Amino acid sequence: MKLLSNPSLLLTLLITCLCASASGRTTETWNFGWKFHPGNPPAAESLLTDDAGWIDVNLPHDFQISQEWVEPSADERPDMSNQMANVKSRLSPRGFKEMGTGWYRKTFTPDSSWIGKRVILDFEGIMLTGDVYVNGKRLGSTDYGYLGTEVDLTGVLNYGQPNVVAVKADTGKPENSRWYTGGGLFRDVNLIVTDKNHYFVRNPLKITTPVVGEDLSTVKIEAEIASRHRPDSLSVRVEIKNPDGSVIYDHVNKIRNYRSQRIRHFDIDSVLIEKPALWDTDNPNLYTLSLSLIGKDGKVADSITENFGIRSIEFSPEFGMKLNGRKVLLKGIANHHTLGALGAAAYPRAMEKRIQLLKDFGFNHIRTSHNPYSKSFLDLCDRYGILVVDELYDKWKRQYAGDRKDWTDQWQHDVEEWARRDRNHPSVVMWSLGNELQMISDLPYNDWGVTPYRLQKMLLDNFDGTRPSTVAMHPRGRNHFTDSLPAPLALATDIASYNYRYMYFPGDSRRFPDMMFYQSEANTSGMGPNYFDMDLDRVIGLAYWGMIDYLGESQGWPAKGWAQGVFDISLEPKPMAYFLRSFFKPDEPIVHIAVEDSDDDSEWNGITVGTTSYSSHWNRKDGSKLRIRTFTNADEVELLLNGKSLGRKRNDRNDSKERNRILWENVPYNKGTLEAVAYRDGQKTPVARHRIETAGKPVKLLVETDNPQWKADGQDLQHVRITAVDSRGRIVPDAMQSLDFEVEGPAEIVGVINGDINSEELTVGQTRRMFQGKAALIMRSSRTPGKVILRIKPEGDIKEATIATSTNPTDIN
């Protein structure tokens, strides 16, 4: 790879800065050593309060996940024959957890090296709203907990003695969200120290690639710098490393044309890269940019580092979306930010595990419904090649944006914080400003959302003009004068995003040829037609709603949340996951047996979301006749019962309702083996097989870990899957024994789960029942490397299981 500097730039190389050893900025993780107290203890913010009896916690932390379930009262249980009755339960949207307040405290003695420096606390998120106190004085807050805030400690610290940071987190009222949000310090907190006279401001970098090509690309670098003096002698060192870690650019640029303002935006540099390694979904190549702000004395005053990718995106009614000139179809998921057993606590390893699972099943896209996810999530999407529709809000209402300010007074701050934070991520290909609000007549300016959208877009484009913006449309909301036309808001957005209404795309396209279409939510019950019936060559793609089951948005007690996904809440694939895989990964031969258990036609939000429930085991009732689907992308499937053929059937690709899911009716149950064998193009050699067998009684447990690189950083996770098997190693689907867990070594259990959304058990503790023969637990490392032993004691006659693993020093990859 060859790199060329832009000859139009005057580059001044300061030899003195090359010898400077200090980075100018130190960043310390502040996730450890906090105290927590639920509720509102007296004088919680005071420096003098005794918190010795408070609970010791490390971040990320969701204080709601350990709360008891709150069963609906009698008057919250109306006639369940009414399909919408479930929404009347006060806490069903929020996961049947009571709302409330929690306080966090951290006591520390400031380092004497901070004297004369700028000291900042950076909170990535406080759920749902938060206030920050230092030594009893309120210094900062966040009104929308999905976005971060910083608190300036400069000048308020007492050196040589203990100081206290106290944080109040409030989850608001039940109606402040339509899903489980969690509560508390659920994301990272960092302490940052820089020079106090010259420094980079919050989220200062803007990295764009105006020209992208396989032979030559341009990287433009802009930044905002604060200075207390006229920085006539300030310079910025620019260093770029390519994806393999080699330095390919290292120059120092004199800052020129500086005016008297304290904060100033600068065009730092423009760099030409020959034969660049482009970022895409298959090869997510990442470059690293480091900027160092250098003072008159040659010392580094501040520094910042950020990854970026070189890639181009194009949108057109003719082809939908292109990435680096190649058509890419968004094959995605729209889910909330929570992480199953962990609640809202934003562990990077838990996010990574989900991304790996989605990639394996053919997903290339995530819509962050309906709020910004964490920084670490976008870092992971950059690294794994996931395309993101980054969404800011649900509704443009005070109720859904923290409820402490009117939304009209808040969006200006939120749009800026969001855009500046996320704009350098190559994974982000579209901005979404809201969800399902075009039917709300009393939005600001009373024009069904058009003016609020345009105002937000104007500000958004000021911080990033490289991506289109959209708003997801409610399925029942068309033009308020005639249903034959799109809603005015759909015509105003760059991209027309319709939830569930893909069938409108052809007609709206004929009337409005410039419209570009994205199915921002698609339901499991319509899976197949809602993919195959789109013009895949022209649409941008789709995001299936709730593909991973989650807490909140329950359709009725005892379900603790959404259960219409293709992966259960413990991340175990359901049979429908293989149907989805069959068309998300059409080049991978697949066949999977799914036995129909029950049918569900329930509705949610006016949309049929219920779907047929399937399982993939062969422990059935003697004498029963079964309906079976074989999910496949092959041409033909043969079904064999105990080696005897039940016939062959073709995959009907002309019928979107039957494509890739062959139906077998009245299949007799006989103990033994049921096998599906798939063929392509009339070939005699099978391309795929799937076999299910009748299992006996459970006799032992299989225990599998997922993280061989488990780091002793105090935050890394080890997910452990436990499966009950019979004497021949077959999964026992009706095993429901309770398991007791015991951990020895430098780790702790932070989550226990199975796939049963109706379970009355909490997702914290030392015990869990199996569901359909399986359970899972999650261990968090300490900051001391060492051997970790997990002992699992099941009830009944199943043998105990022990597994040993280790946490690795953080300097070992």
Side-chain angles (χ1 to χ4, degrees):
M1 180 184 298
K2 183 179 179 182
L3 181 140
L4 306 172
S5 64
N6 188 330
S8 66
L9 285 174
L10 175 62
L11 303 179
T12 305
L13 181 62
L14 300 182
I15 302 300
T16 53
C17 82
L18 298 179
C19 302
S21 58
S23 69
R25 171 179 293 228
T26 61
T27 300
E28 177 187 345
T29 298
W30 252 45
N31 284 352
F32 307 103
W34 290 84
K35 296 279 191 174
F36 172 75
H37 196 297
N40 266 308
E45 76 282 6
S46 172
L47 178 65
L48 302 178
T49 294
D50 183 3
D51 57 21
W54 289 29
I55 303 168
D56 294 319
V57 299
N58 294 321
L59 310 183
H61 181 249
D62 174 5
F63 70 74
Q64 281 199 302
I65 199 66
S66 59
Q67 294 177 189
E68 296 294 330
W69 307 113
V70 179
E71 184 174 352
S73 60
D75 60 356
E76 291 180 315
R77 294 188 180 198
D79 181 8
M80 293 308 293
S81 63
N82 176 359
Q83 290 179 323
M84 296 302 291
N86 53 75
V87 302
K88 296 181 180 179
S89 179
R90 181 175 62 94
L91 295 176
S92 62
R94 307 277 303 257
F96 296 105
K97 301 281 188 177
E98 194 60 79
M99 301 304 103
T101 301
W103 279 86
Y104 297 82
R105 287 169 58 92
K106 185 176 174 74
T107 302
F108 68 105
T109 299
D111 194 303
S112 60
S113 66
W114 301 352
I115 297 174
K117 299 286 188 178
R118 174 176 174 262
V119 184
I120 298 293
L121 267 182
D122 183 3
F123 294 85
E124 193 181 332
I126 308 173
M127 187 56 64
L128 180 64
T129 59
D131 298 287
V132 182
Y133 299 80
V134 180
N135 298 331
K137 183 179 180 180
R138 183 176 179 272
L139 293 184
S141 65
T142 179
D143 299 314
Y144 186 53
Y146 297 105
L147 293 172
T149 189
E150 67 180 23
V151 178
D152 195 338
L153 307 186
T154 309
V156 302
L157 296 176
N158 300 316
Y159 287 89
Q161 57 185 288
N163 290 243
V164 171
V165 171
V167 182
K168 178 183 179 182
D170 190 341
T171 59
K173 301 186 288 285
E175 59 268 26
N176 289 151
S177 179
R178 300 186 299 120
W179 55 87
Y180 177 83
T181 62
L185 293 177
F186 74 121
R187 293 181 182 165
D188 292 340
V189 178
N190 289 295
L191 185 137
I192 301 167
V193 181
T194 72
D195 185 277
K196 72 175 182 180
N197 294 315
H198 314 296
Y199 53 87
F200 293 108
V201 303
R202 182 174 179 78
N203 300 317
L205 286 180
K206 184 178 182 181
I207 308 168
T208 55
T209 52
V211 177
V212 175
E214 294 182 356
D215 295 324
L216 190 69
S217 293
T218 304
V219 178
K220 183 179 180 181
I221 304 162
E222 302 169 71
E224 285 193 10
I225 298 169
S227 178
R228 295 181 182 273
H229 312 292
R230 288 186 60 86
D232 298 328
S233 59
L234 279 183
S235 299
V236 176
R237 178 179 181 179
V238 181
E239 181 185 87
I240 298 176
K241 294 180 181 179
N242 67 11
D244 69 10
S246 302
V247 176
I248 60 170
Y249 187 81
D250 191 346
H251 283 275
V252 177
N253 302 342
K254 184 84 170 181
I255 291 181
R256 299 181 182 279
N257 302 319
Y258 193 94
R259 298 176 186 172
S260 59
Q261 294 97 326
R262 182 166 177 263
I263 297 177
R264 176 78 172 151
H265 180 99
F266 290 99
D267 289 341
I268 299 295
D269 212 339
S270 185
V271 177
L272 303 179
I273 298 181
E274 198 172 61
K275 298 296 182 184
L278 300 185
W279 185 97
D280 63 26
T281 55
D282 297 323
N283 299 286
N285 296 300
L286 291 173
Y287 289 77
T288 302
L289 169 69
S290 297
L291 295 185
S292 299
L293 185 61
I294 303 158
K296 182 178 180 179
D297 56 2
K299 294 181 180 180
V300 178
D302 195 6
S303 59
I304 192 165
T305 297
E306 194 154 317
N307 293 331
F308 69 95
I310 299 174
R311 60 102 176 102
S312 67
I313 50 173
E314 304 169 72
F315 294 84
S316 166
E318 299 303 316
F319 55 73
M321 175 183 161
K322 286 185 178 180
L323 178 64
N324 301 329
R326 177 177 62 90
K327 161 72 177 181
V328 173
L329 184 73
L330 298 185
K331 296 184 286 188
I333 177 177
N335 252 63
H336 296 305
H337 66 290
T338 49
L339 299 168
L342 302 170
Y347 288 93
R349 173 56 196 152
M351 299 177 217
E352 181 181 41
K353 184 175 180 65
R354 289 175 173 234
I355 288 171
Q356 290 170 331
L357 176 67
L358 293 171
K359 286 276 286 190
D360 183 48
F361 276 78
F363 290 82
N364 65 8
H365 161 51
I366 296 173
R367 174 185 169 214
T368 68
S369 312
H370 302 292
N371 46 261
Y373 287 9
S374 67
K375 293 179 184 179
S376 52
F377 165 79
L378 290 178
D379 289 340
L380 287 163
C381 290
D382 291 345
R383 184 150 60 90
Y384 279 93
I386 296 291
L387 304 170
V388 176
V389 173
D390 197 354
E391 193 155 275
L392 179 58
Y393 292 120
D394 182 18
K395 309 287 189 288
W396 298 333
K397 290 277 193 176
R398 175 179 182 141
Q399 174 184 350
Y400 298 116
D403 203 25
R404 295 216 300 195
K405 286 183 179 179
D406 192 85
W407 180 82
T408 56
D409 298 325
Q410 184 170 322
W411 66 263
Q412 300 91 335
H413 168 272
D414 291 349
V415 168
E416 178 176 356
E417 172 73 13
W418 173 58
R420 289 169 65 104
R421 191 197 75 163
D422 295 353
R423 62 189 172 186
N424 297 324
H425 291 276
S427 56
V428 177
V429 295
M430 195 190 310
W431 303 111
S432 176
L433 285 160
N435 173 67
E436 293 188 347
L437 42 72
Q438 82 280 6
M439 297 171 63
I440 303 174
S441 60
D442 64 343
L443 288 172
Y445 306 102
N446 296 309
D447 61 355
W448 307 88
V450 173
T451 297
Y453 166 77
R454 287 176 173 162
L455 289 171
Q456 290 176 88
K457 176 177 168 52
M458 185 181 302
L459 183 59
L460 176 61
D461 287 347
N462 182 61
F463 294 107
D464 176 77
T466 69
R467 300 167 176 90
S469 56
T470 191
V471 172
M473 301 293 143
H474 191 285
R476 289 180 290 155
R478 297 284 281 171
N479 187 290
H480 48 280
F481 296 113
T482 171
D483 282 344
S484 66
L485 295 176
L489 185 54
L491 294 172
T493 56
D494 295 334
I495 306 295
S497 297
Y498 292 1
N499 288 351
Y500 309 104
R501 288 298 183 254
Y502 64 94
M503 63 286 293
Y504 292 159
F505 292 171
D508 288 355
S509 179
R510 287 191 296 270
R511 293 182 182 91
F512 304 96
D514 291 335
M515 291 184 78
M516 296 175 281
F517 298 99
Y518 163 61
Q519 192 179 169
S520 37
E521 289 177 24
N523 54 343
T524 312
S525 60
M527 190 175 286
N530 56 23
Y531 179 84
F532 294 120
D533 289 349
M534 293 194 301
D535 186 343
L536 300 180
D537 292 329
R538 300 185 65 183
V539 299
I540 292 169
L542 85 173
Y544 278 108
W545 180 261
M547 290 292 92
I548 302 175
D549 292 350
Y550 56 85
L551 296 176
E553 292 194 284
S554 166
Q555 295 173 55
W557 182 270
K560 307 309 185 298
W562 184 264
Q564 304 298 331
V566 300
F567 306 101
D568 69 31
I569 197 168
S570 75
L571 301 185
E572 188 72 9
K574 303 177 188 178
M576 283 291 285
Y578 296 91
F579 174 52
L580 186 66
R581 185 179 186 134
S582 74
F583 56 87
F584 269 15
K585 300 182 80 171
D587 297 329
E588 175 192 273
I590 186 173
V591 66
H592 191 90
I593 299 169
V595 182
E596 183 175 314
D597 293 324
S598 62
D599 205 0
D600 179 7
D601 61 355
S602 61
E603 291 189 9
W604 183 252
N605 205 16
I607 298 298
T608 299
V609 296
T611 187
T612 304
S613 175
Y614 297 102
S615 57
S616 295
H617 65 80
W618 202 234
N619 283 43
R620 304 289 167 174
K621 185 178 179 180
D622 289 337
S624 59
K625 300 281 188 178
L626 304 167
R627 281 172 56 93
I628 290 173
R629 294 277 184 177
T630 47
F631 299 138
T632 188
N633 51 22
D635 299 317
E636 190 177 37
V637 171
E638 182 178 18
L639 196 63
L640 299 100
L641 179 58
N642 293 325
K644 182 179 179 181
S645 178
L646 301 180
R648 290 194 182 202
K649 291 191 176 184
R650 300 280 306 172
N651 183 1
D652 186 358
R653 294 191 174 92
N654 295 318
D655 185 347
S656 64
K657 294 181 179 179
E658 298 299 322
R659 183 172 177 173
N660 285 22
R661 46 181 170 189
I662 300 170
L663 176 63
W664 308 77
E665 297 189 273
N666 297 316
V667 175
Y669 171 67
N670 289 309
K671 291 182 180 180
T673 300
L674 185 69
E675 184 175 24
V677 184
Y679 299 87
R680 275 187 175 171
D681 302 323
Q683 297 176 354
K684 294 183 178 180
T685 303
V687 294
R689 295 176 179 267
H690 182 223
R691 174 187 298 187
I692 56 178
E693 297 184 50
T694 306
K697 294 181 179 181
V699 298
K700 65 177 180 178
L701 301 174
L702 292 182
V703 184
E704 301 169 279
T705 58
D706 77 329
N707 187 4
Q709 305 301 323
W710 195 14
K711 297 186 295 295
D713 62 1
Q715 298 184 95
D716 200 11
L717 302 178
Q718 187 73 260
H719 293 76
V720 183
R721 173 70 63 185
I722 303 110
T723 306
V725 297
D726 68 5
S727 59
R728 294 177 58 185
R730 297 171 296 200
I731 300 172
V732 182
D734 54 358
M736 296 184 64
Q737 285 84 349
S738 182
L739 307 175
D740 291 334
F741 306 116
E742 181 183 306
V743 173
E744 178 184 319
E748 63 175 335
I749 297 173
V750 290
V752 289
I753 195 75
N754 61 36
D756 184 11
I757 202 74
N758 297 314
S759 175
E760 80 285 0
E761 297 173 288
L762 294 178
T763 65
V764 296
Q766 307 292 315
T767 64
R768 190 74 184 191
R769 281 197 306 273
M770 289 184 288
F771 176 68
Q772 295 178 347
K774 296 185 178 182
L777 67 84
I778 306 169
M779 295 187 291
R780 174 177 179 160
S781 67
S782 75
R783 289 185 285 176
T784 302
K787 186 176 182 180
V788 177
I789 298 174
L790 171 64
R791 295 184 178 89
I792 307 170
K793 300 178 181 180
E795 65 179 350
D797 298 329
I798 305 176
K799 295 179 181 178
E800 294 184 10
T802 300
I803 189 170
T805 184
S806 295
T807 59
N808 301 305
T810 54
D811 57 352
I812 295 179
N813 294 323

